Amino acid sequence: MPEGETGTGLRLRPEHGRGRPIALSDEPITFGRHPDNTVCLKDEKASRFHCVVEPVEGGYQVRDLESRNGTKVNGAKIQSVRLHPGDTIQVGRSTFFAEREGAAEFDPQLQGEISGAAPVWLLELNRILKELPPAGAGKEEIVLLAADGRPTDVLSAAGDGSRALKYLLRVASKARATDIHIEPKGEGYHTRMRVDGQMVWIAELPAKTGEFVLGIVRAACHMKQAARDAMQEGHFSAKYSGGVLDRRVEFRASLTPSTHGQKAVLRVLDTMNAPHATEELGLLPYMHQRLRRTVRMDAGLVLSCGPTGSGKTTTLYSILREIDRNAKNVVTIEDPVEYQLDGTTQLPVDDQRGKGFGELLRSVLRQDPDVILVGEIRDEETARTAMQAAMTGHLVLSTVHAKDSIAAIFRLLDLKVEPYLVANSLDVVIAQRLVRLLCPNCKEEVRLLPGQVTKMGKHLGGKTKAYHAVGCKRCLKTGYFGRRAIFEMLDFNDDLRDIVLNEPSMQAMKKVIAGGLFTTLAQFGFRLVADGVTSVEEVERVAEEL
């Protein structure tokens, strides 16, 4: 379709996960489990060759291929039927919606930004803006700030490149995206966003438009425009005004060569939806009291563990905000520094210049610190120095990659840190994961299976029903809207110290923990299921021990 032409053709959109829409053309589209199908489904309810959507005179039809479970259109089994906009096709457990490309009412207040007919990608981006809550936030004005902090009027300039980037930034703001992916695929640039931890399809930009967008990003980051085959990194900012909240958002850009050109990933560092205090983390009362008691101490070690992207840094920043930063010298060592925090000295790691975590930590200890945040404990030197600092009058906050709170202790021992250092420096270990919250607009109540009720036990509070994800326009068809953390807190007491000093084993630690107040990640998640906040499937996805 020409770049300036409005969308009039049919396409099929997957029901869940907001995958890439399937444009219908002169070629038939087959569905089934066999790899030779156009759409290969990993669904045991689907047949190897289930159905086909094929062109007929004046449109398209859906035809069943003698599947064992049948093909349904609008809930009724069919042999063959003509396809119309608004129809739903059910293939096994998968559902697809038939819709017109760009079939959305264009906002008249945004009409002044284009001249002539709106291209398909602009109609699609505008449709997403209109569907996402809150209403009206899509009209917020954006001013781009280059890497040097100076404003640039590039987004107000005429042209598809500046218009596309402006709309992508607007969509990212309303969708609460953490990353924007712009990937060349020969015929165009595929744009996706990471929303609530999952990749979500947004739109396809024409090749020239995508190249213009990447050119603007390179210019804003002060990258070399000629270095198209090199890996490039940079940063820029954007000021949002006229929407829900006037604010400044930082973007970290990474450009990497791929088969068809450079792929751009923009990390969105927006603090609007992040918790700003420990009260907002959603900890259980006993966890919150123990954490606040530790933070008031002059010395100690608070360790947060979990995989990448589980919110560890957000939790530690919330703890730092509990500290009187005017009365204490607070220093952070991070790779990289993503969020600015008033009243702190923030140091970025630069391994190429000999400024690793260990080197910077030794230097910081000569700067009379009271509180030190170490972005990550990666090696023996950093671990030993951090623990010695915690024992010599400093409050140390750090993270480590480990499955749960008990595994974090063995991770430190695996780094060859002396057991006496681990036993005497640790105070609190927090394990966490992020679970998606069910969309309040479309979630549906379902009866739990007997096995699920037995597994969740007392944490279900006697309930026999829960909610599951459905998907609607307000949640980008994912069934979820927003995220929150589930926690596991290990209070490192004397009994645990004795175990670490003598013969540390997981069974011995679990026996001690069972005698006290302890909630696992899964049990924390079960409470949220009972409250109707998230689904059983989501807790099972993130809590590895289930």
Side-chain angles (χ1 to χ4, degrees), residues 79 133 171 223 231 255 279 358 458 461 499:
Q79 290 299 320
V171 170
M223 298 176 181
M231 292 182 289
L255 275 67
E279 289 87 352
K458 64 179 182 179
I499 293 174

Side-chain angles (χ1 to χ4, degrees), residues 37 85 90 94 115 136 162 259-260 322 413 521 527:
N37 287 285
Q90 186 173 344
S94 303
S115 59
S162 57
T259 304
H260 299 287
E322 296 281 331
L413 295 173
L521 288 167
R527 293 169 181 258

